[in-house]
């Protein structure tokens, strides 16, 4: 009788342990959704993770032997631009180049450095520049100690781009520490975005980190996690899917470039007036008419 009682208790403990392992991410109050899904955002993007039925399967893609190593990453800096190799549909526009940021993100629009700081710096989306981001693991990371920290990208120049961050350390007050491995994948065929997370060792400065996507304006996006224990990310995957159609309207008119006459340098005194040739472009998806 005592043996049966101990066996029942043991089975219950094992069941509780397994249940805790399966729900460690879903039960964390700093995850956007306890169900392993999120969205849609205002445009229509949704996300689903590998803990959810019908979600992506974690399957790391090693590009260290076929990809291009990205050099020049240090601390709080950007490197690029690099070509995606094809036009990738993202929100209501297409992107074909990207910058890699040392703090665990890529930016499609410009080379402003992504430096998440403070309570609001890890919120996605955010109007704070830079925008137009994919952030698989936004944190105070650093490449300043060099190897084993590496970053690679690979494009087949048809329909797939992969960017991998390998064994990147976290910046801490006592010096760089830990190692964090993760990657993002763009697939043109379905316009989807994948995040994958490998080995995670150590914590982040202030326990602060985030993951998600945002558009070029910084007013639409999805946040998957905020300030979680990185151990919850091991062997984890997230899939972002765009909508089949959208009712979202973006009126986004801006200056693409401005040049002087003859495209040459000009000297003039304060108070002088000078006419520039300016190219205005509609970055949105709403017809704004003629700019002439």
């Amino acid at each position: 009788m005592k043996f049966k009682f101990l066996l029942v208790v043991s089975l219950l403990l094992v069941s509780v342990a397994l249940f805790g392992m399966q729900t460690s991410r879903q039960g964390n109050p700093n995850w956007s959704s306890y169900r392993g899904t999120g969205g849609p955002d205002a445009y229509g993007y949704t996300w689903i993770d590998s803990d959810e039925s019908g979600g992506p399967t974690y399957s790391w893609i090693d590009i260290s032997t076929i990809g291009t190593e990205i050099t020049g990453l240090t601390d709080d800096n950007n490197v690029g631009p690099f070509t995606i190799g094809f036009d990738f549909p993202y929100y209501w526009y297409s992107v074909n180049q990207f910058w890699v940021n040392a703090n665990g993100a890529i930016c499609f629009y410009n080379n402003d450095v992504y430096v998440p700081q403070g309570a609001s710096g890890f919120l996605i989306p955010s109007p704070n520049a830079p925008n137009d981001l994919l952030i698989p693991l936004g944190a105070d990371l650093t490449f300043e100690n060099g190897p084993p920290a590496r970053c690679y990208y690979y494009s087949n120049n048809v329909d797939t781009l992969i960017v991998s961050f390998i064994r990147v350390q976290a910046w801490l007050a006592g010096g760089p520490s830990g190692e964090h491995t993760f990657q993002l994948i763009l697939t043109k065929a379905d316009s989807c975005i994948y995040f994958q997370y490998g080995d995670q060792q150590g914590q982040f400065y202030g326990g602060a980190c985030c993951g998600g996507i945002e558009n070029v304006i910084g007013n639409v996006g999805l946040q998957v996690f905020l300030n979680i224990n990185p151990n919850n990310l091991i062997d984890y995957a997230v899939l972002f899917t765009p909508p089949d159609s959208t009712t979202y309207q973006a009126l986004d008119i801006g200056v693409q470039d401005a040049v002087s006459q003859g495209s040459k340098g000009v000297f003039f005194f304060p108070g002088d007036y000078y006419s520039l040739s300016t190219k205005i472009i509609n970055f949105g998806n709403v017809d704004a008419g003629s700019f002439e």
Side-chain angles (χ1 to χ4, degrees), residues 41-44 91-92 125 213-222 248:
D41 64 12
Y43 183 78
Y91 285 96
W92 58 86
I213 65 174
E214 72 169 28
N215 70 349
V216 67
I217 306 175
N219 66 338
V220 179
L222 290 172
Y248 185 82

Side-chain angles (χ1 to χ4, degrees), residues 72-78 100-106 113-117 121-122 134-146 149-151 163-173 175-184 196-211 225 228-230 233:
L73 289 170
T74 55
D75 186 61
D76 292 343
N77 77 319
N78 268 356
V100 176
N101 189 277
N103 289 319
I106 72 168
V113 179
Y114 171 67
V115 184
Q117 292 181 337
F122 293 87
L134 300 183
I135 311 171
L137 185 51
D140 198 346
L141 303 175
T142 181
F143 288 76
E144 63 183 348
N145 278 0
R150 301 282 191 185
C151 187
V163 181
S164 296
F165 294 76
I166 310 295
R167 302 177 69 180
V168 184
Q169 292 186 297
W171 186 94
L172 298 176
S177 178
E179 293 181 357
H180 304 276
T181 295
F182 51 97
Q183 70 182 181
L184 63 88
Q196 296 204 113
Y197 302 86
D199 190 33
Q200 308 290 320
Q201 299 179 24
Q203 301 298 315
F204 301 116
Y205 181 76
C209 64
C210 60
F225 60 84
I228 62 159
N229 185 326
L233 294 174

